Amino acid sequence: MKTSADVPTPNDPDTSLILRKGLGQVPHQGGTRFRLASPEYQILRAWIDNGCRPSRTRTPPANGKPPVAAKTPATLKLVRLEVLPGSRRLAEGHPQQQLVARAYFDDGSIRDVTDLAVFSTNEKEAAEVNSSGLVKFHRTSEVSFLVRYLDRITGVRLSFLQRDHEFTSHAPAEINAIDHHVFAKQRELQLLPAEVIGDETFLRRVYLDVIGALPTSEEARQFLDSTVADKRARLIDELLERDEYASFWALKWADLMRGSDVTISRRGVHSFHRYLVERFRNDRPFDEFARETLTSLGNTLHTPAANFHRIARTPDEAAEAMAQLFLGVRIGCAKCHNHPFEAITQDDYYGLAAYFARVKFKGKQFMVDDEIVYLDRNGDVRHPTKNVNMLPVAFGEAAGDLGPDDDRREHLVVWLTRAGNPYFAKSLANRVWYHLFGRGIVEPVDDFRDTNPPSNPELLNALAGEFINSGYRLKPVLRLVLNSNTYQLSSKPVSRQSKFAPNSEPYFTNHSVRMLSAEQLLDAITAVTGISETFPGYPRGTRAIELAEGAIEHPFLKAFAKPVRDVTCECAREDDPSLSQVIHLLNNRDVVQGIKSSESRLGQWLASGKTNDEVVELVYLATLSRRPTTAEREVIHRHLSASSDRAAGFYDVQHALLISNEFLLRH
């Protein structure tokens, strides 16, 4: 039974459900939001007690003129949220910092809104922030803090160093700008980098990263035996010019752009794949690639770049795909509401979508392969909550005056590829880094936002600068990174870091270890055994990295999670091994038969009269890109001596190497 105190009374603000629910006096899903003594409660109560009327302020008189009524709070627009003192490193021994939030409005007024802002962080183990904006660090770390007020969200990154006075900094020599920025950040945080790898590890790593394949036994022997001082730099240059490089890096972008026979037909996906391979072979500029991708028109078989629109068929899909591909920004959340973790609004979402509103299709009803992309003179995107047609706007910057025959997408590309764009060069450079190191400087690699800053801003700026200065070409960036000592660090971390050291993973103190991709692993097994693989619709001898489509009927590629290309995300590839994959390798009939075949490399070596030592060395060079150690030779010779069949003994050795971690993992 309700009492009189339960019934809201217009003349008594204390009975308001808004206040009582916020105080937790009435059960509701939001829980307790404020206390009686809090500023939020006092402001709301005063407003209700005043009749819920919009308050008006007046500007002081000027030049004897009567005062002018200012904008009401209801009409004021928040244009910027500032957080002081901004990103900085706290003084040693002072792990606390008070954050101050200041709101800038369109009438020129500035207000301290610290008491009304919401402060948060996702790194609570390293630091915490209370409702008043007071930050407290628990250990050495760099932490991002999220500050939200009204519809604005701003991030600030603070670092705190708890100095270990017994720590001694050391690092390999700085070969180039990459090393300079990486090692500087490590010194700042008292982190120690791993040692530089030897030739055997470098050889295997750079082959897998640049061309997606292993060196042959002869290529491995030549490199390992070479005494040329700059042989690593020479090898990098050679690999960047090989056909496999173009196929391997085209594969990465075909995955990302969802090149599939489901989305663009069987003939279409092959045409699109050839287009990508050619672009990477000739190292065509990426700003040109973005322009072709976003603005191409015509028959998609003859103009493969236009398949972007065939895959992302609606203005909404095109806007989301464009942002994720070329900006590294996820805008999908803003389709239904303003982004919860970033200052990306519904206006931003539908403003981007408006650039693609007049892209249309024809020809599908006659033959799907010959679908044609064209521009209509009409077509708009309607804002779902404002119920108005949106003009093309790229994150607050309007496209300008547009005639009925203008291609709106051209204006988008101008904005996208100009030097001052805060996303384009950085996001693409970050993708390159991700493919070489297993994680981005911004991580996840396609989640650029103020509240997810790069772990090393100076490094990302340098990498993006190299990309721009080289005319948006990929090979110069790859060459710079591959030649650095940072890339050539061991995957084995140092035994002891500073006792106050933060998580070292975001700072690249050692190289990542990860499973070979499905295509790499299958091609590696094929290269080691010498027995060609077959794929439906392809000639025998085609490598897995050369396949045009995603989903393909092949049990090995399915078992090792080759993506079907249904999402625009690097996350589609799984690089963590599973039990089913291990079982698949152990019991794979094709692998075992390939090893035992008389036509295999091992079979030919055995038949050629080579000694056991010679065959062992060839097997190791072909499989692990190194020579066996003395201990390994002794174990193998004991096994061969105990085996009644020399060939069977070598089959065991080859199979054991193919299922070893050293072969399955990229390290």
Side-chain angles (χ1 to χ4, degrees), residues 263-424:
T263 54
I264 53 178
S265 83
R266 179 59 58 87
R267 286 202 303 165
V269 77
H270 281 268
S271 173
F272 184 56
H273 180 257
R274 288 193 296 270
Y275 164 74
L276 289 176
V277 171
E278 191 63 23
R279 290 208 62 87
F280 282 98
R281 178 181 290 117
N282 295 324
D283 201 21
R284 300 284 294 277
F286 254 79
D287 58 340
E288 177 185 277
F289 176 55
R291 179 171 289 102
E292 290 181 358
T293 298
L294 298 177
T295 66
S296 287
L297 299 170
N299 187 311
T300 53
L301 273 181
H302 309 310
T303 311
N307 278 303
F308 169 82
H309 296 292
R310 199 173 181 186
I311 296 166
R313 300 186 69 85
T314 68
D316 293 6
E317 290 175 346
E320 291 185 29
M322 184 281 296
Q324 205 157 344
L325 282 170
F326 296 119
L327 302 176
V329 176
R330 302 176 184 179
I331 66 169
C333 283
K335 182 173 185 177
C336 302
H337 51 75
N338 292 344
H339 200 298
F341 305 118
E342 187 52 89
I344 299 176
T345 66
Q346 276 191 296
D347 288 354
D348 293 324
Y349 182 96
Y350 291 100
L352 279 179
Y355 282 102
F356 304 100
R358 297 182 178 179
V359 176
K360 307 293 181 181
F361 307 90
K362 63 182 178 181
K364 185 176 181 181
Q365 63 271 31
F366 302 112
M367 183 187 293
V368 69
D369 277 0
D370 289 331
E371 191 167 16
I372 295 170
V373 180
Y374 72 98
L375 281 181
D376 201 328
R377 288 173 61 92
N378 300 302
D380 291 292
V381 168
R382 200 157 188 83
H383 196 292
T385 57
K386 296 182 177 179
N387 199 29
V388 296
N389 289 337
M390 293 295 295
L391 295 174
V393 179
F395 293 110
E397 184 170 326
D401 295 333
L402 294 169
D405 295 321
D406 286 345
D407 188 345
R408 298 175 170 190
R409 303 169 305 162
E410 292 283 357
H411 294 261
L412 178 62
V413 170
V414 170
W415 170 83
L416 177 69
T417 58
R418 72 185 185 196
N421 187 288
Y423 300 108
F424 182 67

Side-chain angles (χ1 to χ4, degrees), residues 587-604:
N587 301 287
N588 191 297
R589 182 179 59 186
D590 293 337
V591 172
V592 174
Q593 289 179 346
I595 295 171
K596 294 182 177 181
S597 171
S598 60
E599 298 179 358
S600 70
R601 298 197 194 286
L602 178 57
Q604 293 175 16

